[in-house]
Amino acid sequence: MAAAAAPRSSGKEALPAALGSASEPPRLFDGTTRLYICYFCPFAQRAWITRNFKGLQDKIELVGIDLQDKPAWYKEKVYEQGTVPSLEHNGKIMGESLDLIKYIDSHFEGPALLPEIEAALSKFGDGPFFLGQFSLVDIAYVTIIERIQIYYSHIRKYEITNGRPNLEKFIEEINRIEAYTQTKNDPLYLLDLAKTHLKARPLPETNAQPPQL
């Protein structure tokens, strides 16, 4: 089943520069709804996709945070956990990506991303999406699948879609959704981050298969 129709986009969004330690904070609690993200964080990407799919680019302002040079004010004045994503809305700050995507879906206008559960489960397995149509479930998984595919392909020399036609179709179809593709980074950039932060290195080629996904 095709994805629910998303509002038309006028093109790729011009992203503000990520704010680092030398930056000044935005004017907090001034009535502006802000989504604080890191552009390459898979958890922040979930909230970003949800915002985009619901057509909220003019309602929820993106604030990029440089996690490698994190401004002190972010933890002190915005979100005390210091992680991304976080959302500033109605005079409150909230975080945790899975909570945020449900909050954005239920508190803002735009296509619903959490279908009625009984109807959705009746379509489970219809594909290509988990609940028959594009939903928060797909958003929760795709940012992780995106990175697993990159890492296995470049580091283990293995394509995760081999022998998995449903996964292959899922990846193919979700890459037709602009709300998602607008949030993607260059795969080689994500690979470099993995090598730096996770100390991931290519393995010698073997006939061993990776664990089942």
Side-chain angles (χ1 to χ4, degrees):
M1 182 179 292
R8 287 193 174 274
S9 167
S10 58
K12 193 166 179 68
E13 183 176 10
L15 300 177
L19 302 179
S21 59
S23 67
E24 292 294 322
R27 296 181 61 185
L28 301 174
F29 306 116
D30 62 353
T32 302
T33 300
R34 298 182 176 92
L35 179 62
Y36 296 84
I37 65 171
C38 169
Y39 296 129
F40 54 79
C41 170
F43 309 109
Q45 189 181 5
R46 290 168 171 167
W48 187 5
I49 295 167
T50 305
R51 163 200 182 259
N52 288 0
F53 191 82
K54 292 182 74 70
L56 299 170
Q57 288 88 338
D58 294 332
K59 301 287 179 66
I60 301 179
E61 177 184 311
L62 288 182
V63 180
I65 298 294
D66 184 348
L67 293 185
Q68 299 177 84
D69 183 34
K70 191 187 300 182
W73 54 258
Y74 180 65
K75 184 172 184 178
E76 293 169 358
K77 299 181 178 181
V78 180
Y79 190 50
E80 62 182 11
Q81 281 81 358
T83 57
V84 291
S86 67
L87 181 72
E88 176 186 342
H89 182 233
N90 286 344
K92 310 186 290 189
I93 298 287
M94 59 205 82
E96 298 300 326
S97 65
L98 296 180
D99 292 335
L100 281 189
I101 62 176
K102 289 186 287 186
Y103 182 89
I104 293 170
D105 187 43
S106 62
H107 285 75
F108 293 88
E109 62 190 31
L113 281 163
L114 194 59
E116 198 278 322
I117 195 64
E118 286 191 16
L121 289 176
S122 71
K123 298 170 185 173
F124 182 77
D126 288 356
F129 302 116
F130 283 94
L131 298 180
Q133 67 181 53
F134 184 66
S135 73
L136 296 182
V137 179
D138 305 292
I139 292 172
Y141 279 105
V142 69
T143 64
I144 306 303
I145 292 172
E146 175 186 340
R147 285 155 178 79
I148 290 174
Q149 185 176 35
I150 293 167
Y151 303 160
Y152 268 107
S153 175
H154 290 85
I155 296 172
R156 294 181 177 264
K157 309 300 181 186
Y158 178 83
E159 177 49 59
I160 64 171
T161 58
N162 287 345
R164 299 182 178 95
N166 290 343
L167 178 59
E168 183 175 21
K169 186 64 174 175
F170 171 81
I171 292 172
E172 177 186 333
E173 290 300 319
I174 209 162
N175 274 285
R176 300 179 191 275
I177 296 176
E178 191 177 58
Y180 165 61
T181 59
Q182 288 177 335
T183 70
K184 293 178 70 175
N185 279 279
D186 181 342
L188 294 181
Y189 177 66
L190 293 179
L191 184 64
D192 284 343
L193 287 175
K195 289 178 178 178
T196 299
H197 296 288
L198 304 178
K199 298 184 170 29
R201 295 290 182 270
L203 297 177
E205 291 192 27
T206 71
N207 292 324
Q209 299 296 302
Q212 291 296 310
L213 296 174

